[in-house]
């Protein structure tokens, strides 16, 4: 075999050897790179696990004073963590929990404000009803009704036969005036039954007391007409000074008696 015949084979063998060496080197390099990559991944995983473990401990407050109670009485997660360096993600979670506590507090404050406004609305509704009830026109109509009913009672009563028609008018007008003093003094809105009780159980005795007093205080029919107008208008300037003094002396005991009875009745009713 000549040198020309063997030369290509040798060249081919050398070329294969070089390729094998290169391939082996590539495998070794890849193995080394894989080893370092695996090592880095393992280390990073361990770091992440450690941070997660630390975050779990930080989620638990160092004092029970950080606990809050929810609307249904359940314990809430603490809204603050122990101070220290924490990763950005944990800072975000901490901020969200703080925002949650702030919202809970704001909601409680709003609920209290709502309850306060509800109470205020109830007071205003009651005030509106009272104002409507004691409006001049409505009150005048109610007093006219009371005077009419007391007058009708006196006309039917045999005990009132000793009084003149003008005196009965004075007695009925005085009863209506005292009824007005009672409801305005106590800011009352009486039901139909309560009004009937006042008219039938309290005002007649007062009317008779006033009638006996007027018979003493007034010295003429003219003075009696002045008294009737005075009880309807409550205008003290209509009365001469002497008549006003005489009327006060005889009516004051009557007013004291009925007001004591009415106030006692109001107290018993409220307690019952």
């Amino acid at each position: 075999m000549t040198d020309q015949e063997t030369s290509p084979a040798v060249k081919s063998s050398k070329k294969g050897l070089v390729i094998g060496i290169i391939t082996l080197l590539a495998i070794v390099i890849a193995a080394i790179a894989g080893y370092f990559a695996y090592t880095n991944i393992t280390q990073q995983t361990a770091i992440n696990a450690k941070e997660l473990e630390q975050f779990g401990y930080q989620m638990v407050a160092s004092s029970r004073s950080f606990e809050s109670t929810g609307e249904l009485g359940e314990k809430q997660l603490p809204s603050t963590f122990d101070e220290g360096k924490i990763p950005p993600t944990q800072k975000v979670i901490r901020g969200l929990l703080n925002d949650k506590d702030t919202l809970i507090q704001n909601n409680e404050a709003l609920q209290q404000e709502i309850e306060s406004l509800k109470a205020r609305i109830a007071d205003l509704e009651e005030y509106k009803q009272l104002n409507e009830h004691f409006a001049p026109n409505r009150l005048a109509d109610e007093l006219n009704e009371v005077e009419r009913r007391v007058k009708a009672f006196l006309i039917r009563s045999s005990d009132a036969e000793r009084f003149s028609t003008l005196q009965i008018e004075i007695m009925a007008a005085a009863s209506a005036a005292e009824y007005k003093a009672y409801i305005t003094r106590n800011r009352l809105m009486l039901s139909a039954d309560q009004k009937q009780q006042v008219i039938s159980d309290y005002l007649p005795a007062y009317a008779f007391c006033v009638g006996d007093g007027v018979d003493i205080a007034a010295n003429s029919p003219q003075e009696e007409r002045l008294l009737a107008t005075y009880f309807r208008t409550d205008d003290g300037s209509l009365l001469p000074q002497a008549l006003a003094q005489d009327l006060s002396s005889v009516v004051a005991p009557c007013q004291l008696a009925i007001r004591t009875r009415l106030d006692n009745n109001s107290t018993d009713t409220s307690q019952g």
Side-chain angles (χ1 to χ4, degrees), residues 73-121:
E74 297 179 353
K75 293 294 182 182
Q76 304 285 347
L77 290 175
S79 60
T80 58
F81 309 136
D82 292 337
E83 294 298 330
K85 294 181 180 180
I86 57 176
T89 303
Q90 298 175 16
K91 291 181 179 180
V92 172
I93 296 176
R94 174 181 180 178
L96 292 174
L97 290 177
N98 286 336
D99 291 343
K100 176 185 176 182
D101 267 1
T102 301
L103 290 175
I104 291 175
Q105 294 174 0
N106 291 340
N107 181 63
E108 292 176 351
L110 288 175
Q111 290 297 329
Q112 293 177 356
E113 185 175 355
I114 289 172
E115 295 300 323
S116 176
L117 289 174
K118 286 181 179 180
R120 178 61 176 163
I121 290 173

Side-chain angles (χ1 to χ4, degrees), residues 30-232:
I32 293 172
Y35 171 77
F36 282 110
Y38 172 78
T39 301
N40 289 335
I41 292 174
T42 302
Q43 291 176 349
Q44 186 62 43
T45 301
I47 292 173
N48 292 341
K50 187 64 175 178
E51 289 183 353
L52 182 59
E53 180 182 357
Q54 292 177 353
F55 177 69
Y57 283 112
Q58 289 171 344
M59 286 288 288
V60 180
S62 60
S63 173
R64 293 184 60 85
S65 63
F66 292 114
E67 292 183 352
S68 58
T69 303
E71 184 177 352
L72 299 179
E74 297 179 353
K75 293 294 182 182
Q76 304 285 347
L77 290 175
S79 60
T80 58
F81 309 136
D82 292 337
E83 294 298 330
K85 294 181 180 180
I86 57 176
T89 303
Q90 298 175 16
K91 291 181 179 180
V92 172
I93 296 176
R94 174 181 180 178
L96 292 174
L97 290 177
N98 286 336
D99 291 343
K100 176 185 176 182
D101 267 1
T102 301
L103 290 175
I104 291 175
Q105 294 174 0
N106 291 340
N107 181 63
E108 292 176 351
L110 288 175
Q111 290 297 329
Q112 293 177 356
E113 185 175 355
I114 289 172
E115 295 300 323
S116 176
L117 289 174
K118 286 181 179 180
R120 178 61 176 163
I121 290 173
D123 291 340
L124 290 175
E125 288 290 342
E126 182 180 2
Y127 179 75
K128 176 184 176 183
Q129 293 177 359
L130 286 171
N131 281 344
E132 291 177 350
H133 179 76
F134 293 107
N137 292 336
R138 293 194 59 181
L139 182 58
D141 293 340
E142 187 168 356
L143 295 179
N144 288 335
E145 179 188 359
V146 172
E147 180 177 348
R148 177 182 58 79
R149 292 171 64 176
V150 172
K151 183 178 179 180
F153 173 84
L154 294 174
I155 291 175
R156 294 193 304 268
S157 174
S158 58
D159 294 333
E161 292 178 355
R162 67 180 185 274
F163 300 110
S164 67
T165 300
L166 184 54
Q167 288 173 337
I168 289 178
E169 289 185 3
I170 295 172
M171 294 158 66
S175 298
E178 191 59 32
Y179 176 87
K180 176 184 177 182
Y182 172 59
I183 62 174
T184 54
R185 183 172 67 253
N186 296 283
R187 302 296 293 173
L188 296 175
M189 290 186 299
L190 302 183
S191 64
D193 292 339
Q194 291 172 327
K195 185 188 301 183
Q196 177 59 38
Q197 181 184 20
V198 172
I199 292 174
S200 60
D201 296 347
Y202 297 92
L203 292 182
Y206 175 73
F208 281 109
C209 183
V210 170
D212 292 332
V214 166
D215 190 38
I216 298 173
N219 298 318
S220 66
Q222 181 181 1
E223 289 187 347
E224 289 181 348
R225 282 191 289 271
L226 288 176
L227 291 177
T229 305
Y230 162 73
F231 281 118
R232 291 192 179 102

Side-chain angles (χ1 to χ4, degrees), residues 10-24:
V10 171
K11 291 181 179 180
S12 177
S13 176
K14 290 181 177 180
K15 183 177 181 181
L17 179 62
V18 170
I19 293 174
I21 293 172
I22 293 174
T23 301
L24 179 61

